[in-house]
Amino acid sequence: MPVEMSSRRSSRITDEEISELISKLQSLLPESRRRSMSRASAAKLLKETCSYIKSLHREVGDLSDRLSDLMSTMDSGSPQAEIIRSILRS
Amino acid sequence: MQVTEAFKHAFLKQMLLGFQASAVSTKSMGFQERKNAIKLSADVAMAVARGSRKWTRGLIAGLSEERQNRSFLRLILGEQYESLLKPCHSSWKIPRCKKIVRRSLRVCWRKQKKNQSGVLARTLVEKRTQELKRLVPGGESMDGSSLLDETLDYVLSLRAQVDLMQSLLTTFEASKLSRSGWRLKGRGKAKAYTVVAWEEHVLWRKYMRRR
């Protein structure tokens, strides 16, 4: 999402630019996390972003667990193995 | 960053190659070992599918720090491995919007600092920024505007990783169920397997095209 910035002579940062930055960070977060933040400060946003990244990491770990369970019972003749082979052929 | 069909395909293919390379379907493998191999394959796949970014280089470098990962990385990445480990030199030419973003961040930080008279204690924003730097791979060496850019890209890639692993899991689980369904009906095992596998394959391709 590129942000179009008009040319500026003055070096002053407007409130508009700051809220643009904040909305960009906010758009990263899923709807459920955004609702509770009415007037988000930079610190709050950074905190939410950090906690969102951590929850995504946990999800990946959990999915790895579940895939591990499935792969342990997989033999070369199973449908899963065939699915794997067909994706690798593509 | 757009999660394209090309990205999804590259990710899945790369992850499955990783599974093969680490032989995750070996029965004698311990649970933790298998899980680590799967997660490693998934992370490498995400970096490879995304291509060259600060965070993808940071991710590969971080994984290389553990000795047991190195032979796997060398095997999977081949020539790419060495080039991915080279430190990247950030361009001196910073686009205007990035300059403004960096200034905005600095103003946020300065506004917070004004409230603390001469105390060396970290502000909340600085503290959170440090935490973000630790979470985004390669973040420690990034400046404010790069960090924002890379965070955005990294989060989108993580979301894609989660979605793709979930869809692979769902397909596997579905194929397992239909297989046992066939058995219950008492049909010839060899024929049943082929039919089921083909149906799953077709469903999978349809599913991929739709997403």
Side-chain angles (χ1 to χ4, degrees), chain B residues 16-166:
Chain B
L16 293 173
L17 281 170
F19 286 3
Q20 276 193 335
S22 34
V24 289
S25 53
T26 312
K27 300 224 186 289
S28 54
M29 210 184 236
F31 176 79
Q32 197 58 45
E33 195 188 344
R34 186 179 290 117
K35 186 219 165 143
N36 292 340
I38 287 173
K39 189 169 181 310
L40 180 62
S41 297
D43 283 342
V44 171
M46 181 174 63
V48 169
R50 186 61 193 98
S52 190
R53 295 281 312 203
K54 288 198 171 104
W55 71 262
T56 59
R57 278 190 291 266
L59 181 62
I60 302 292
L63 291 171
S64 301
E65 269 165 31
E66 295 189 42
R67 194 176 254 157
Q68 70 254 32
N69 295 340
R70 276 177 224 159
S71 51
F72 174 82
L73 287 168
R74 230 175 253 121
L75 177 69
I76 280 296
L77 296 171
E79 286 168 357
Q80 276 183 291
Y81 182 49
E82 303 302 326
S83 60
L84 277 169
L85 281 181
K86 281 205 184 93
C88 81
H89 303 284
S90 42
S91 162
W92 59 269
K93 191 183 180 215
I94 304 165
R96 181 177 277 116
C97 68
K98 279 192 179 168
K99 269 193 187 132
I100 294 168
V101 158
R102 186 195 286 178
R103 259 185 264 137
S104 308
L105 273 171
R106 243 187 264 142
V107 168
C108 285
W109 291 324
R110 237 180 265 135
K111 273 189 177 165
Q112 302 269 348
K113 275 191 173 145
K114 268 194 187 139
N115 301 329
Q116 308 197 4
S117 43
V119 177
L120 283 174
R122 287 173 156 198
T123 65
L124 199 58
V125 168
E126 212 183 286
K127 195 174 158 195
R128 300 269 180 245
T129 308
Q130 288 310 313
E131 194 191 347
L132 186 64
K133 282 188 165 191
R134 280 192 296 272
L135 285 170
V136 174
E140 309 277 4
S141 54
M142 287 180 205
D143 62 25
S145 67
S146 299
L147 184 62
L148 177 67
D149 230 21
E150 295 294 301
T151 300
L152 234 107
D153 201 83
Y154 180 55
V155 168
L156 291 169
S157 303
L158 273 177
R159 282 215 283 238
Q161 183 188 43
V162 165
D163 284 344
L164 289 165
M165 286 174 83
Q166 179 64 69

Side-chain angles (χ1 to χ4, degrees), chain A residues 1-8 10-15 17-18 21-22 24-25 27-31 34 41-57 59-90, chain B residues 1 9 12-17 19-20 24-27 30-32 34-35 38-39 42-43 96-97 100-101 103-105 107-109 111-112 124-126 128-129 131-132 135-136 148-149 151-156 158-159 161-163 165-166 168-169 171-173 175-176 179 193 196-198 200-201 204-205:
Chain A
M1 300 173 281
V3 180
E4 289 297 296
M5 298 280 184
S6 53
S7 68
R8 290 192 183 279
S10 136
S11 56
R12 277 190 70 114
I13 311 303
T14 64
D15 284 337
E17 282 172 311
I18 294 193
L21 164 72
I22 285 179
K24 203 177 182 186
L25 267 177
S27 67
L28 256 187
L29 304 173
E31 209 50 59
R34 258 186 264 170
S41 65
K44 217 176 191 181
L45 257 179
L46 286 167
K47 179 183 169 194
E48 276 307 310
T49 309
C50 287
S51 100
Y52 184 43
I53 292 177
K54 283 191 271 198
S55 85
L56 286 169
H57 286 166
E59 267 197 89
V60 171
D62 176 63
L63 287 164
S64 304
D65 275 345
R66 290 159 66 192
L67 277 168
S68 178
D69 272 337
L70 267 172
M71 307 289 290
S72 62
T73 58
M74 189 181 87
D75 55 57
S76 60
S78 63
Q80 293 100 295
E82 178 52 38
I83 290 168
I84 292 179
R85 282 192 288 268
S86 77
I87 295 174
L88 289 174
R89 274 195 295 267
S90 63
Chain B
M1 178 217 153
H9 188 250
L12 280 168
K13 201 161 178 175
Q14 190 64 50
M15 184 168 70
L16 293 173
L17 281 170
F19 286 3
Q20 276 193 335
V24 289
S25 53
T26 312
K27 300 224 186 289
F31 176 79
Q32 197 58 45
R34 186 179 290 117
K35 186 219 165 143
I38 287 173
K39 189 169 181 310
D43 283 342
R96 181 177 277 116
C97 68
I100 294 168
V101 158
R103 259 185 264 137
S104 308
L105 273 171
V107 168
C108 285
W109 291 324
K111 273 189 177 165
Q112 302 269 348
L124 199 58
V125 168
E126 212 183 286
R128 300 269 180 245
T129 308
E131 194 191 347
L132 186 64
L135 285 170
V136 174
L148 177 67
D149 230 21
T151 300
L152 234 107
D153 201 83
Y154 180 55
V155 168
L156 291 169
L158 273 177
R159 282 215 283 238
Q161 183 188 43
V162 165
D163 284 344
M165 286 174 83
Q166 179 64 69
L168 185 68
L169 193 69
T171 311
F172 281 172
E173 283 171 346
S175 73
K176 232 185 167 179
R179 186 189 192 189
Y193 152 66
V196 166
W198 180 249
E200 287 307 322
H201 170 85
W204 177 263
R205 294 198 85 92

Side-chain angles (χ1 to χ4, degrees), chain B residues 188-199:
Chain B
K189 199 170 183 188
K191 187 182 179 187
Y193 152 66
T194 330
V195 173
V196 166
W198 180 249
E199 282 174 1

